[in-house]
Amino acid sequence: MKFLLLAFVSVVGTVTHAFVVPRQQQSVRRLSSSSSSQLSVIGQQAESFGPASLLRKLKKSLPQSEWLADGEGNPNNKIDMPEYVKTVLAQPNAPQRQAENEERTLRIRNRAQQAAKDAAALRGMLVGEEDKTAWWRTQREIEKGGRAVTKDDPLTVIVAGGGLAGLVTAAACHAKGMKVALFEQASSYAPYGGPIQIQSNALRAIQRISPECYEELVAAGTVTADRVSGLKIGYRKGNKLAGLYDAGDWLVRFDTIGPALEAGLPATVVVDRPVIQQIFVKHGIPDGTVRIASRIQSYKDLGDGRGVVAILEDGTKAYADVLVGADGVWSQIRKCLHNLGEGAGGFAASGAAGGAIDDAEARKLAKETIRIASQASRRYSGFTCYAALAPHRASNIEDVSYQILLGDKKYFVSTDGGGERQQWFALIREPAGGTDPEPSAEDPTPKLTRLRKEFASLGSGGDQDGNEWDPFALELIEASSEEDIKRRDLYDGAPLLATTDPQRLLSPWAKGPVALCGDAAHPMMPNLGQGGCQSTEDGYRLGEELATVRNTRDIPGALSKYSRVRVIRTAIVQGFAQLGSDLLVDFDLMMTIPLLGPFFLTMTQLSMPWILRFLYTPEF
């Protein structure tokens, strides 16, 4: 089945690259700054050209027939819950939907608030006298050739980064008897951002690492696999030859529980980030494992099985057998591991700090990130993203858990956040580094002002292209405050490796006693919701491989095997996520071309179960 899946990716990739900028093609945009310096941006995709541009120009030059665009969309495309999804959800072992209610809403929201308070109170963190006498402060005398690893003298592991990847890795290593310390650069585990979808594959990894953490997450989460997911057209589109679609009509509908049940996996849940953090801090690792305000700036491999010394920003040194970089897309550990440019490890909003920055910092980082990306070999996706968690009971909450409204130059994603809240993302295609005006007396809510124009609904005259969007987008936007809406440009990395270095080909994410995981190794677009899930799989596999080490000289081999095992699967998932984003770039064009539009929709509908079967594997 994996070969069929890869074949489909190749076919879709061929079709996609006929209409969008090829992923590997590098275009360079020059920006002027206040210092008149020039910045090169690699991977810019703000404009499409080639066949797509020619087809669009040709289409505009041809006589347009209003008759072809007249008529109503297919009534079946307006039904949220089709019969084939109802059949799957009716299986006796499928989760049964329980309607939203006040008790559950209060429970979920209160738990998120309590988790934020616990984080602010530094509960479970390394502070005071325990910090002064921490095991990692003392360098051990180890002879060349390493030392034996035993139950009484286990491996010692330092993890850089306190987001999901770092916490899962720390828990996985602790579960195997290793001594672990986790260094997070943020000054606190501040409440931020929205909940995380922990999909079936990630839940299985967590279940194997820590049954207690798994049970806590399932109890704290909201099941999202008990309803329909899919793609909708954002505004009226199509014609009698390619198919007519009204605003908000379904293009593709699918369930996520069927493939999970086939693999014997639990149903996907969504859990607030602070709750996830506190569950792992309380139940996955010992008290005093996490040390905040601790950014690792560099490290030195001591060689010959003698471990590694990590040097913090304030000069503090930490000694261990293994160092794991789980410090996000702009990883400082990755910068040192791959000898990247000096700017490659700039401030990264990690899993613990991301989203906690205010608008002023976000405007500054938008420009700074362009410079960091050029040094870090990261690719700008071509999209800027507005996001918020709206405290709002969605109008379709009982039937729909996840949907994307598609359009030209932008699309709108929404998912159930639990507790009668909706997490939404508005992705708009534009050059990197853009910022919103500061609030003023004339316009106190500039982000909301822009979004109201971008997703102007039926009867309003439409957006700048005259497209009138399905009202659901504005339903969620209007339920959000200006302060809660965050904006950032989306960057990811190339699937597999953009290198000919033999060492990196044999050991993609590791060298000596140092390895990468999560976004530090494979940042990806959010289309599949698999970024955190693949990070979870990384943590599980890393713990499994390190558990085989019997002498510290064997650590490089174990880390190399870990990265070789993981790189193929994560590269495929990265590819799916990139294709999913790229297919939207000229989606409106495809929907008006006879044969191509229906073919694209049919292939997407048929492929989704196979893609989910690949994602929802019990082995990773």
Side-chain angles (χ1 to χ4, degrees), residues 56 94 140 188 211 273 299 330 384 481 494 496 517 561 584 601:
R56 195 175 294 280
R140 295 183 56 171
S188 70
R273 294 178 191 237
Y299 68 83
W330 312 119
T384 192
S481 69
L496 289 178
C517 74
K561 183 180 178 183
L584 307 180
L601 289 182

Side-chain angles (χ1 to χ4, degrees), residues 108-281:
I108 291 173
R109 293 190 182 188
N110 288 340
R111 178 149 191 182
Q113 292 173 0
Q114 184 59 51
K117 291 179 181 178
D118 288 347
L122 300 180
R123 291 183 181 176
M125 305 293 170
L126 181 64
V127 294
E129 289 301 317
E130 290 186 357
D131 177 52
K132 295 178 182 178
T133 59
W135 60 263
W136 46 262
R137 289 184 178 274
T138 304
Q139 182 177 10
R140 295 183 56 171
E141 293 294 333
I142 302 174
E143 295 182 1
K144 288 184 178 182
R147 66 172 179 85
V149 176
T150 66
K151 182 179 180 180
D152 295 328
D153 192 10
L155 276 182
T156 56
V157 181
I158 289 175
V159 180
L164 182 60
L167 287 168
V168 172
T169 299
C173 292
H174 170 67
K176 293 297 183 179
M178 301 172 215
K179 191 179 292 186
V180 185
L182 190 154
F183 292 173
E184 165 54 42
Q185 67 177 347
S187 57
S188 70
Y189 267 162
Y192 71 96
I196 293 178
Q197 288 250 10
I198 308 180
Q199 297 187 44
S200 300
N201 54 313
L203 281 173
R204 174 53 54 85
I206 294 170
Q207 187 178 37
R208 290 177 175 175
I209 292 169
S210 170
E212 187 174 4
C213 284
Y214 168 78
E215 295 294 340
E216 288 286 334
L217 288 169
V218 171
T222 297
V223 174
T224 59
D226 55 4
R227 286 156 286 166
V228 74
S229 299
L231 312 176
K232 290 182 172 183
I233 188 68
Y235 44 80
R236 182 176 172 82
K237 202 66 183 177
N239 54 55
K240 289 183 174 68
L241 299 179
L244 278 169
Y245 297 88
D246 294 321
D249 277 2
W250 286 101
L251 302 172
V252 175
R253 286 161 290 189
F254 57 90
D255 65 275
T256 61
I257 192 60
L261 294 177
E262 288 178 14
L265 299 178
T268 295
V269 296
V270 60
V271 189
D272 282 277
R273 294 178 191 237
V275 174
I276 296 173
Q277 292 166 349
Q278 290 305 302
I279 285 174
F280 276 100
V281 168

Side-chain angles (χ1 to χ4, degrees), residues 354-437:
I357 59 177
D358 59 27
D359 285 347
E361 289 179 287
R363 279 190 286 270
K364 177 183 177 182
L365 284 177
K367 301 295 185 184
E368 181 64 19
T369 300
I370 296 175
R371 181 179 289 104
I372 297 172
S374 66
Q375 295 293 317
S377 299
R378 294 308 196 194
R379 183 203 72 112
Y380 176 54
S381 67
F383 289 95
T384 192
C385 176
Y386 292 83
L389 180 65
H392 173 74
R393 180 190 175 109
S395 55
N396 59 7
I397 189 63
E398 295 304 329
D399 293 320
V400 181
S401 65
Y402 176 87
Q403 68 179 44
I404 302 179
L405 291 171
L406 302 176
D408 176 31
K409 304 184 186 75
K410 56 199 168 193
Y411 57 101
F412 187 89
V413 183
S414 62
T415 183
D416 183 7
E420 293 194 354
R421 300 168 302 169
Q422 283 280 310
Q423 186 173 11
W424 59 262
F425 308 89
L427 288 88
I428 302 172
R429 190 174 55 152
E430 65 177 43
T435 58
D436 295 293

Side-chain angles (χ1 to χ4, degrees), residues 327-338:
D327 47 344
V329 61
W330 312 119
S331 167
Q332 183 71 11
I333 306 302
R334 175 177 176 266
K335 169 192 174 294
C336 297
L337 185 72
H338 296 326

Side-chain angles (χ1 to χ4, degrees), residues 490-528:
L490 297 182
Y491 290 82
D492 62 9
L496 289 178
L497 294 167
T499 181
T500 57
D501 183 347
Q503 188 277 326
R504 288 186 61 187
L505 292 173
L506 292 173
S507 182
W509 307 334
K511 186 176 182 181
V514 182
L516 305 174
C517 74
D519 283 349
H522 48 73
M524 58 186 68
M525 291 291 286
N527 304 72
L528 296 178

Side-chain angles (χ1 to χ4, degrees), residues 23-54:
R23 177 68 58 181
Q24 284 74 26
Q25 183 165 349
Q26 297 180 345
S27 60
V28 179
R29 180 168 59 91
R30 299 292 185 183
L31 296 176
S32 60
S33 66
S34 57
S35 61
S36 301
S37 61
Q38 300 295 309
L39 302 178
S40 298
V41 181
I42 305 300
Q44 176 64 36
Q45 276 192 225
E47 301 292 339
S48 78
F49 56 88
S53 178
L54 294 175

Side-chain angles (χ1 to χ4, degrees), residues 315-610:
T316 300
K317 293 183 178 181
Y319 300 89
D321 298 317
V322 180
L323 172 62
V324 178
D327 47 344
V329 61
W330 312 119
S331 167
Q332 183 71 11
I333 306 302
R334 175 177 176 266
K335 169 192 174 294
C336 297
L337 185 72
H338 296 326
N339 295 315
L340 301 176
E342 280 305 310
F347 174 79
S350 74
I357 59 177
D358 59 27
D359 285 347
E361 289 179 287
R363 279 190 286 270
K364 177 183 177 182
L365 284 177
K367 301 295 185 184
E368 181 64 19
T369 300
I370 296 175
R371 181 179 289 104
I372 297 172
S374 66
Q375 295 293 317
S377 299
R378 294 308 196 194
R379 183 203 72 112
Y380 176 54
S381 67
F383 289 95
T384 192
C385 176
Y386 292 83
L389 180 65
H392 173 74
R393 180 190 175 109
S395 55
N396 59 7
I397 189 63
E398 295 304 329
D399 293 320
V400 181
S401 65
Y402 176 87
Q403 68 179 44
I404 302 179
L405 291 171
L406 302 176
D408 176 31
K409 304 184 186 75
K410 56 199 168 193
Y411 57 101
F412 187 89
V413 183
S414 62
T415 183
D416 183 7
E420 293 194 354
R421 300 168 302 169
Q422 283 280 310
Q423 186 173 11
W424 59 262
F425 308 89
L427 288 88
I428 302 172
R429 190 174 55 152
E430 65 177 43
T435 58
D436 295 293
E438 295 187 25
S440 63
E442 294 75 18
D443 186 4
T445 58
K447 287 177 287 190
L448 280 169
T449 297
R450 180 185 183 182
L451 291 168
R452 286 166 181 150
K453 294 176 181 178
E454 294 283 359
F455 298 96
S457 60
L458 296 170
S460 66
D463 61 15
Q464 61 268 37
D465 295 320
N467 297 315
E468 297 186 338
W469 283 73
D470 179 72
F472 188 73
L474 277 188
E475 176 186 331
L476 302 188
I477 291 170
E478 295 292 3
S480 308
S481 69
E482 178 78 7
E483 293 73 25
D484 288 338
I485 299 173
K486 302 297 182 183
R487 176 183 179 178
R488 64 188 176 100
D489 293 337
L490 297 182
Y491 290 82
D492 62 9
L496 289 178
L497 294 167
T499 181
T500 57
D501 183 347
Q503 188 277 326
R504 288 186 61 187
L505 292 173
L506 292 173
S507 182
W509 307 334
K511 186 176 182 181
V514 182
L516 305 174
C517 74
D519 283 349
H522 48 73
M524 58 186 68
M525 291 291 286
N527 304 72
L528 296 178
Q530 277 286 318
C533 297
Q534 291 304 304
S535 298
T536 301
E537 291 185 10
D538 288 347
Y540 167 78
R541 177 49 52 194
L542 191 54
E544 291 294 303
E545 298 301 335
L546 285 176
T548 67
V549 172
R550 296 294 175 264
N551 188 290
T552 54
R553 65 173 174 267
D554 301 326
I555 289 171
L559 295 180
S560 294
K561 183 180 178 183
Y562 145 75
S563 64
R564 287 195 302 273
V565 169
R566 290 295 301 151
V567 72
I568 299 298
R569 176 167 165 80
T570 56
I572 293 172
V573 178
Q574 273 184 304
F576 281 145
Q578 288 182 355
L579 283 174
S581 180
D582 286 351
L583 282 168
L584 307 180
V585 173
D586 287 291
F587 185 83
D588 67 316
L589 179 61
M590 283 190 276
M591 293 306 300
T592 58
I593 299 177
L595 298 181
L596 180 60
F599 170 78
F600 167 67
L601 289 182
T602 300
M603 290 300 294
T604 304
Q605 182 71 65
L606 292 175
S607 70
M608 281 310 304
W610 298 106

